[in-house]
Each structure stands twice: as C-alpha cells, then as structure tokens.
Amino acid sequence: MTLVLRHSHVTALLDRVAVLDAVEQAHSDLSTWAAQNPRPISMGAPEDGAVIGMAAELRSADLVAVKVLSDLPGNTAHGRPRQRSTIVVTSTVTGECVALIDGRAITAMRTAATSAIATKYLARADASILGLVGAGNLAVEHTRAIALVRPIDRIVVWSRSSSTVEAFGEKIADLKIPVMHAESVDHVVAQSDIVCTLTPSVSPILLGESLRPGMHVNAVGAAPRPDEREVDGTAMARSRVVVDSRATALAKSGDALLAIAEGAITEADIAIELGDVISGRTPGRRDADEITLFDSTGIGLQDLATAALVIGRARAAGIGTDIDMSA
C-alpha cells in the first residue's frame, strides 16, 4: 500500500530535533558512500519556469526518493506559490511506492535544519548574535533550528516590510530572544556572528566587502537556478565555502556558478561538502578569524531523510491515506 500524506499531515508529524538529527546523519552517510545524491535534472516550463527532479538513495532505510520541484515565477502573478513539490518514496527491496508526500513543510524544515547543522560545524563556538536577511517563514524556521545548536542572545533582522518583521517577532516570541529591526543588510552583517540570507533575490543582496572576520554565512534563499544568487563573487572569494553537494552546486547554485564565471573563484573552491565536515574527512572552520559560508542549494537526500522520518511516525500514529496503486 502507498501512504499519501497531505501538507497538514506532514506539519503534524514533523519535529525539529528529529529532523536535524536525521539530516545530519544523511549528510554523513553521503560522505561515507552509505547514501547517494545524483546531480539533479532540470526541464523547462512556461514563463521561465523550471521543473527539477531531485533523486536520492538512503541505504540505511532501504529507500529511494524523487522530489519533483516546480519553480514557476509566473505563478506569483496568479496568486499561486512560486514553488511546489511532491516527494515520491520507493522501497529498494520490494520496488513498491511507499509514499506520496506533499513537499512544502518537509522542504522548509529540512532546509533550516541543514543550515543549523552547517552553523554547528562552521560558526565560532562563541557566536551568539543571529542576523537574518528576510523575515518570512524561512526566517522563522531558521531561527528555531539554529537556536537548537547555538545559544542565541539577540536577533538582528532586515526585511523590506516592517510588518513582516513584526509578524516574525510574534512567531518566535516563545523563544524569548530580543529582536532588532535592522535598517539595511549591511546593518545586519555589521552586528551579527551568524548571517542567513533568506530572500528570493535574483542578484546579490549581501556583498562580500561587508563581511567581517570570524563570521559565518548561510546563503539559502535564492532559487536553484544558475543565474540567480544572493551573495556576490567577493563574498564567495573571501570565504571558506562549504556546499551540501558539489555536483548539485555546480549545476544549480547561482552563488557558485556566477562567481566562477566572473573569475572570483574556481570550481576547485567548491570542493568541500557538508557531509565531509560532519564525518571528519575535511576540517570546517580552521581558525577564529576565518569567514565561513554555507552555500545551500538543497538536495534530494535531505528530503528523503526527512520523509523517512515522517513515514515512520505516520505509520505509528495511523495518519494518512493508504492507496493500492497496483489495483
């Protein structure tokens, strides 16, 4: 039987601590070849849209998955979300389709969890001020995830809309962390130890000349497109860059590919994967003054690790709808 899980099912089953642990282990497995994450494929769609297939295998769970991610900029003019996704999970033992899952909540939580894991391994041990460029739902998820790995004393957040910042403050009020509304992105960078860029910007919103020694950056928000980015080539050149998957970054990260095209960095600078840092194969931060940057493109293995967790919890709780796909 195939388990069908709607968005409401998924949100009821997700747990940030469990997701963080599952995604961290999955990246470690990728480093030790106990998991696979092939380069994604991309197909064109109307109005400059793209449909991306993100495949992964997790040997410990005997599962493979493909997330079909639709990135459709034209949707915004019609009041529809720019991105939608569905995750198809299959057993490597029986070949049966184990689950069909709406990908929205899984994508948001696994993305924030991965940034938190990067922060855990790359940010300075004394990093305590979190800077957010963007104040939407992704900022809420990142705050909650990063607060699990670092004691955050203060949050500095910038958004073009003050009402968005106010809403952000209300959504994380239970954490009891002071929130300051920054006047600019540079203001965020000047006051923060950890900075997360969380906007759908298509051109650099964070400039490398503003980065300070010892800080850590999670570059997250740009769509997985080779011509869109949030940070400039100078930021990439000044930083020790870590990626979730080298193959994916060199196919889909505009932050990396545009910096390479400009000559700011080379492909050799996109060599360190997060899993290699977790497993100890490669050092992360090497000294207190080093600038570290996690270029988050997003990979199917993160979705699969989170989906496997959700499927197990759904089965235990009797949540979701079973469908006989072979009938």
Side-chain angles (χ1 to χ4, degrees):
M1 300 293 281
T2 300
L3 179 65
V4 179
L5 294 172
R6 302 193 304 266
H7 173 70
S8 57
H9 295 145
V10 176
T11 55
L13 294 164
L14 282 172
D15 171 80
R16 289 181 180 86
V17 174
V19 171
L20 195 149
D21 290 343
V23 172
E24 182 172 354
Q25 183 59 54
H27 273 278
S28 181
D29 288 347
L30 185 61
S31 174
T32 57
W33 301 285
Q36 295 186 70
N37 192 91
R39 176 175 174 160
I41 60 169
S42 182
M43 297 160 283
E47 298 184 78
D48 193 34
V51 178
I52 302 167
M54 302 166 63
E57 178 223 9
L58 191 58
R59 207 158 300 153
S60 60
D62 293 323
L63 295 174
V64 296
V66 177
K67 180 167 84 171
V68 180
L69 169 65
S70 298
D71 180 47
L72 307 175
N75 265 2
T76 56
H78 303 287
R80 298 189 292 260
R82 171 171 171 166
Q83 292 190 349
R84 285 175 165 165
S85 61
T86 303
I87 303 168
V88 182
V89 183
T90 301
S91 167
T92 58
V93 176
T94 67
E96 120 183 82
C97 179
V98 174
L100 292 170
I101 309 174
D102 181 82
R104 178 169 35 138
I106 284 177
T107 300
M109 194 169 287
R110 63 78 157 154
T111 300
T114 308
S115 294
I117 295 161
T119 301
K120 173 182 172 180
Y121 284 93
L122 298 173
R124 286 169 42 153
D126 61 354
S128 63
I129 302 176
L130 175 62
L132 302 172
V133 180
N137 289 333
L138 204 52
V140 174
E141 286 297 333
H142 272 69
T143 299
R144 293 190 177 279
I146 290 172
L148 294 173
V149 302
R150 282 290 187 277
I152 302 300
D153 296 332
R154 182 157 49 102
I155 299 169
V156 183
V157 57
W158 173 85
S159 173
R160 290 186 175 89
S161 167
S162 58
S163 61
T164 305
V165 174
E166 289 174 9
F168 164 80
E170 292 170 0
K171 290 174 183 176
I172 58 101
D174 59 296
L175 296 178
K176 302 188 184 306
I177 303 173
V179 177
M180 184 173 70
H181 186 181
E183 299 174 358
S184 66
V185 174
D186 284 349
H187 189 199
V188 172
V189 175
Q191 299 190 62
S192 305
D193 305 315
I194 303 159
V195 173
C196 302
T197 60
L198 306 166
T199 73
S201 182
V202 300
S203 58
I205 197 167
L206 186 150
L207 305 180
E209 63 186 19
S210 68
L211 298 182
R212 296 180 296 105
M215 70 186 309
H216 171 67
V217 177
N218 295 308
V220 181
R225 290 171 174 252
D227 59 347
E228 298 186 13
R229 61 178 171 174
E230 286 185 299
V231 303
D232 66 359
T234 302
M236 299 291 281
R238 292 189 63 199
S239 304
R240 181 168 174 81
V241 177
V242 176
V243 297
D244 38 25
S245 159
R246 186 171 191 267
T248 301
L250 292 176
K252 292 293 168 194
S253 169
D255 293 308
L257 291 168
L258 291 170
I260 291 169
E262 293 167 354
I265 61 172
T266 68
E267 284 194 14
D269 294 308
I270 309 299
I272 306 171
E273 293 192 349
L274 181 58
D276 293 335
V277 176
I278 295 168
S279 68
R281 293 181 63 202
T282 305
R285 171 173 293 277
R286 296 171 296 188
D287 60 64
D289 288 335
E290 186 170 51
I291 299 169
T292 53
L293 187 150
F294 176 56
D295 182 15
S296 172
T297 310
I299 60 174
L301 183 61
Q302 298 158 358
D303 298 306
L304 175 53
T306 308
L309 180 68
V310 167
I311 292 166
R313 291 186 168 205
R315 287 298 187 198
I319 292 175
T321 303
D322 279 315
I323 297 176
D324 185 353
M325 300 285 282
S326 63

